[in-house]
Amino acid sequence: MTHSKEIEQTSHYPVMLQEAVSGLSISDKGVYIDCTFGRGGHSQLILSQLSKNGRLLAIDQDPEAVAFAKEYFLADQFEIQQGSFEALESYCQSRNWLGQVDGILIDLGVSSPQLDEAERGFSFMRSGPLDMRMNPQSGLSAKEWLVQTDEKTLAKVLRQYGEEKFSGRIARHIKEALAEGILNTTLDLAAVVKKASPKTEKHKHPATRTFQAIRIAVNRELDVLKTVLEASVRVLKPGGRLSVISFHSLEDRIVKQFIRDQSRIKDLFPDSPIELEVVKPVLKKVGKPIFPSAKECEENPRSRSAVLRVAERLG
């Protein structure tokens, strides 16, 4: 069983909880995967709808999230896997689940505990080390990444991943601050970006886009997303559902395009005068994109930019 009281005390708000889980169209004996466990909000609701014959595999690369799951999620139907959801296919292969999964949920947001804990280095509102890794035990920290990335590449990352208009100026200021040894914490980075920005957006900290871009680069988020989406069609059974929550336009564009591409009939040889092999669509879009309610946005401002898309695996 899960201990909901302790879960509530973590102040983690699962975004579009009811909508995302409803999108999975839960069968009580089904096999489900929560690719982004976080603090288990979505997992808890999925588990509550499963019988003793149902199964839920949760995945998270954050050691703190995994420790939380092991302490509070004690249901027999539940299993936590530490690692990146990039390896979804191999996790399923090792369990003989390929083509057997009834639903996959992917919540692409950074979890509230990660944002709230200064030492994780995700937030420009709190002083912490420049880390930003989803798994602090693996890969380069944000500071290490910034040190080894040249100014031109950094500007490109800020422009592509942060959609930052002043990417060149900000990149130059960051590299200068690093050279002077005055860029060591999240607040240092926020101050450098603020100084480098000639204009600011109303109600938006000037460092928002830069922090997003560096976090995406450090964690390879867009590449990992493409990999897990491609794996999902091999993992899901016919009729199985894919439910994905995105938080910025880059992610949502990838999800939207993937569902659209997988929903189309493909002619492998479009220029051939004779009819050759045609690839049938493997997914169908379910409904329209769903956005959080005004009430949810008020209660949890971090949900404001979220969009949920649902697709179903065809036979």
Side-chain angles (χ1 to χ4, degrees):
M1 60 178 285
T2 58
H3 301 266
S4 56
K5 192 174 178 189
E6 289 93 333
I7 292 167
E8 283 161 19
Q9 288 169 358
T10 66
S11 322
H12 175 58
Y13 298 90
V15 171
M16 287 193 278
L17 174 62
Q18 299 293 339
E19 298 92 332
V21 174
S22 291
L24 295 175
S25 192
I26 302 277
S27 155
D28 67 345
K29 295 173 187 170
V31 174
Y32 295 90
I33 301 174
D34 181 353
C35 284
T36 44
F37 176 78
R39 287 302 180 271
H42 293 114
S43 281
Q44 190 183 17
L45 185 56
I46 293 168
L47 272 173
S48 72
Q49 297 178 35
L50 296 181
S51 69
K52 66 179 193 308
N53 298 315
R55 289 288 173 272
L56 173 61
L57 171 67
I59 303 167
D60 210 297
Q61 56 187 327
D62 185 339
E64 290 181 20
V66 172
F68 184 89
K70 286 179 176 174
E71 185 173 357
Y72 296 120
F73 280 68
L74 307 174
D76 292 338
Q77 304 97 313
F78 179 82
E79 182 186 356
I80 184 74
Q81 168 77 56
Q82 181 166 4
S84 168
F85 59 62
E86 185 175 26
L88 173 68
E89 192 167 357
S90 70
Y91 297 149
C92 291
Q93 207 161 17
S94 66
R95 291 167 174 82
N96 293 317
W97 282 5
L98 285 183
Q100 305 296 316
V101 173
D102 293 88
I104 299 169
L105 175 64
I106 309 172
D107 174 357
L108 296 166
V110 179
S111 75
S112 296
Q114 287 173 331
L115 286 168
D116 293 337
E117 290 167 19
E119 64 271 15
R120 298 303 298 273
F122 284 102
S123 175
F124 47 76
M125 306 299 284
R126 297 172 172 79
S127 183
L130 270 176
D131 196 315
M132 299 195 201
R133 288 172 293 177
M134 300 289 186
N135 179 359
Q137 298 168 350
S138 173
L140 296 175
S141 68
K143 171 80 181 283
E144 290 165 336
W145 183 84
L146 285 168
V147 167
Q148 73 163 38
T149 302
D150 63 76
E151 187 182 313
K152 191 176 175 185
T153 305
L154 177 55
K156 188 179 176 185
V157 164
L158 298 182
R159 190 168 59 252
Q160 288 187 344
Y161 295 169
E163 299 175 293
E164 175 55 70
K165 287 182 215 163
F166 309 115
S167 56
R169 285 174 62 105
I170 292 169
R172 189 173 72 251
H173 277 72
I174 287 173
K175 294 305 285 186
E176 285 170 0
L178 283 167
E180 291 168 29
I182 56 169
L183 184 51
N184 299 300
T185 69
T186 48
L187 291 187
D188 291 342
L189 178 58
V192 167
V193 176
K194 190 173 183 180
K195 189 179 172 187
S197 304
K199 283 186 197 167
T200 57
E201 293 174 62
K202 202 175 179 184
H203 307 307
K204 195 168 196 172
H205 193 287
T208 303
R209 295 176 185 278
T210 295
F211 269 68
Q212 172 184 298
I214 294 170
R215 192 200 78 218
I216 288 171
V218 164
N219 294 289
R220 297 176 41 254
E221 290 177 31
L222 302 185
D223 291 337
V224 169
L225 173 57
K226 288 172 188 172
T227 301
V228 76
L229 289 174
E230 284 160 14
S232 70
V233 297
R234 296 186 288 275
V235 166
L236 286 168
K237 70 196 289 188
R241 291 284 185 90
L242 175 66
S243 190
V244 188
I245 307 169
S246 308
F247 285 82
H248 54 76
S249 58
L250 298 171
E251 288 173 342
D252 184 48
R253 209 173 298 144
I254 290 169
V255 176
K256 179 183 178 181
Q257 194 172 334
F258 175 78
I259 293 172
R260 190 184 63 209
D261 289 350
Q262 296 295 323
S263 302
R264 287 178 173 164
I265 294 171
K266 292 178 199 155
D267 187 343
L268 293 182
F269 304 96
D271 300 324
S272 172
I274 37 177
E275 201 173 309
L276 295 166
E277 190 177 353
V278 169
V279 177
K280 290 179 182 174
V282 292
L283 287 179
K284 73 170 180 185
K285 185 172 69 168
V286 176
K288 292 182 176 178
I290 299 168
F291 301 91
S293 65
K295 183 172 183 282
E296 178 169 358
C297 291
E298 193 181 328
E299 289 174 359
N300 179 19
R302 287 172 184 162
S303 70
R304 281 178 303 203
S305 60
V307 54
L308 168 67
R309 294 183 188 272
V310 179
E312 185 175 304
R313 179 72 164 94
L314 296 169

